[in-house]
Amino acid sequence: MQSTEVKDVKKAMDFAESLLNKLNGGAICLMISIGHRVGLFDCMGDMEAATAEEIADKAGLNRRYVREWLDAMTVGGICIYDATTKKYDLPAEHAVHLTRKNATGNLAVLAQFIGMLGSVEDGIVDCFKNGGGVGYEAYARFHEIMAEESGQTVVPVLVEKVLPLAPGLHERLESGITAVDIGCGRGRALRRMASAYPKSKFVGFDLCDDAIAHAKEMTEAEGLTNIEFKKQDVAALDLSEEFDLITAFDSIHDQAKPDVVLKNIHRALKKDGVFLMQDIDTSKDVENNMTHPVAPMVYTISCMHCMTVSLAQGGAGLGAAWGTETAQRMLGEAGFDKLDLHKLEHDPLNCFFVARR
Ligand SMILES: C[S@@+](CC[C@H](N)C(=O)[O-])C[C@H]1O[C@@H](n2cnc3c(N)ncnc32)[C@H](O)[C@@H]1O
């Protein structure tokens, strides 16, 4: 395995072992994603140890595929297999991180990003050679996965923990104000706010037709009347002193024109209006991200999604690891000089900026 030029053979062998672990991890992530999508983790989380056939039948899935999946989960250290009884078990300590019962920390949701990014690999390879980017339309499941991700990091804690980061905001929302969510995607956060604060009016803007169509469908199904969704490029938003609250959940760093968007947000806020921005909690400098718990994922998702969708529009391509330093500088340049930075315990990936006009 080692080349003749390798001086430290042990170092080379240790590295090969660590690489093999990464290869196995990548492969298992694809299977975790499938297990999440077809409901196998949720099914096993509610069962005692059982045979492959029993698990497949309970989940209503094909027995052959489920057995192969269970064996992958077993050698991957996710399930425990008893060769005597031929039963597979998902221990409670594992189930807690892989089932929908955990509303804020189901890591199987994140595993879906691996398969999604793999689906655009050819396009990204082409960009490495020729520049440019891969556009939103290339990602068949992006908005679905993103809504699930923010459905864990933002939505369950939005009213209780996120909005109170801005003192007085909860009371203003209760009495009735006008709010807009920038890059709202499928609109789960906005729908949560609209149902919590019936006297306030909410608008969601997003670039993508499919996300807006889904948001409208869900709003109708939920019977919410104080909310509307519009297809709108927020770089072209030309409104002055219109909103009391503007939110942006994970939607600034992948903008084509983030500087223009932040200035548009500042202008669109009423005096003393609040801008609440959730974004990725990294440093702009890679050397400061070495101990970040999910840095490899951040840079990978950045290269294969956030950065490339921006570059596809001829944009800045800031990338997900633009860093809190860059975010603070750009918010300042947009006119936000009153700024607080917060971190919530359940979420190692993101932080919240609270700015006032
Ligand atoms: C990372 S996703 C976040 C979606 C949503 N806020 C959430 O947390 O689930 C970024 C969103 O910003 C939208 N977006 C990007 N550029 C935009 C622009 N110029 N105008 C409006 N929406 C934009 C994308 O379509 C995408 O839905």
Side-chain angles (χ1 to χ4, degrees):
M1 189 176 277
Q2 76 265 29
S3 100
T4 48
E5 284 167 36
V6 168
K7 292 195 182 77
D8 188 338
V9 174
K10 180 171 181 324
K11 189 174 171 185
M13 293 310 287
D14 288 350
F15 179 68
E17 192 181 326
S18 123
L19 263 187
L20 283 176
N21 283 336
K22 291 182 207 311
L23 282 172
N24 282 328
I28 287 298
C29 270
L30 291 171
M31 295 299 256
I32 291 177
S33 174
I34 290 170
H36 172 72
R37 292 180 69 184
V38 301
L40 272 165
F41 291 123
D42 297 316
C43 178
M44 288 185 79
D46 288 338
M47 285 174 91
E48 298 292 316
T51 64
E53 290 72 25
E54 287 166 344
I55 293 167
D57 291 352
K58 173 111 190 284
L61 296 168
N62 180 281
R63 287 183 167 191
R64 179 68 192 96
Y65 277 88
V66 170
R67 181 153 58 82
E68 204 70 2
W69 180 84
L70 284 164
D71 287 344
M73 289 298 104
T74 300
V75 294
I78 310 284
C79 293
I80 310 292
Y81 180 61
D82 182 336
T84 318
T85 59
K86 302 206 176 314
K87 289 185 176 181
Y88 299 83
D89 186 37
L90 180 65
E93 295 75 14
H94 297 195
V96 71
H97 301 295
L98 292 163
T99 56
R100 288 175 172 83
K101 275 192 182 148
N102 185 344
T104 56
N106 179 3
L107 293 175
V109 168
L110 298 184
Q112 297 177 98
F113 279 107
I114 307 302
M116 182 199 81
L117 298 176
S119 75
V120 297
E121 185 177 305
D122 288 352
I124 299 290
V125 167
D126 186 62
C127 294
F128 269 79
K129 295 174 183 164
N130 301 309
V134 174
Y136 277 105
E137 63 290 349
Y139 301 80
R141 297 188 62 236
F142 172 71
H143 290 293
E144 180 190 342
I145 298 172
M146 192 59 231
E148 248 196 286
E149 197 269 341
S150 57
Q152 324 196 105
T153 54
V154 177
V155 181
V157 293
L158 184 56
V159 173
E160 291 76 16
K161 292 197 174 149
V162 176
L163 297 173
L165 294 175
L169 182 57
H170 168 73
E171 291 75 14
R172 288 169 78 183
L173 280 159
E174 278 205 318
S175 65
I177 58 173
T178 308
V180 63
D181 188 26
I182 297 289
C184 62
R186 288 187 163 194
R188 283 183 71 170
L190 207 56
R191 287 178 358 242
R192 174 76 188 97
M193 285 194 274
S195 74
Y197 301 107
K199 288 189 186 158
S200 286
K201 296 229 170 309
F202 298 88
V203 185
F205 291 141
D206 202 281
L207 206 52
C208 295
D209 289 309
D210 53 334
I212 289 292
H214 191 276
K216 283 183 176 169
E217 211 176 287
M218 292 307 297
T219 302
E220 209 178 304
E222 288 162 8
L224 294 166
T225 52
N226 56 338
I227 179 169
E228 57 179 324
F229 289 97
K230 291 182 186 163
K231 181 179 175 173
Q232 165 76 52
D233 179 354
V234 291
L237 194 69
D238 189 14
L239 297 172
S240 288
E241 303 196 15
E242 196 87 10
F243 303 107
D244 302 280
L245 168 66
I246 300 184
T247 52
F249 299 109
D250 200 9
S251 62
I252 298 299
H253 67 262
D254 54 9
Q255 289 294 322
K257 298 175 187 162
D259 50 345
V260 175
V261 169
L262 289 174
K263 282 177 187 147
N264 290 351
I265 288 171
H266 186 264
R267 194 176 57 251
L269 267 183
K270 289 183 189 167
K271 292 270 185 288
D272 205 36
V274 173
F275 177 39
L276 184 62
M277 175 177 115
Q278 178 221 32
D279 218 292
I280 312 290
D281 184 22
T282 61
S283 166
K284 68 181 172 50
D285 299 314
V286 69
E287 62 272 27
N288 299 330
N289 295 328
M290 295 304 292
T291 56
H292 190 293
V294 280
M297 231 181 133
V298 170
Y299 282 105
T300 303
I301 295 179
S302 177
C303 185
M304 297 185 76
H305 184 270
C306 315
M307 181 188 83
T308 196
V309 294
S310 174
L311 292 174
Q313 301 166 69
L318 278 179
W322 63 322
T324 50
E325 308 91 337
T326 311
Q328 275 168 308
R329 174 180 56 74
M330 290 182 71
L331 283 161
E333 286 164 5
F336 289 110
D337 40 18
K338 294 173 233 164
L339 195 65
D340 292 314
L341 180 54
H342 301 271
K343 189 91 190 134
L344 292 181
E345 211 177 289
H346 73 286
D347 186 1
L349 185 60
N350 298 291
C351 58
F352 289 87
F353 296 85
V354 179
R356 276 177 201 273
R357 174 140 186 210

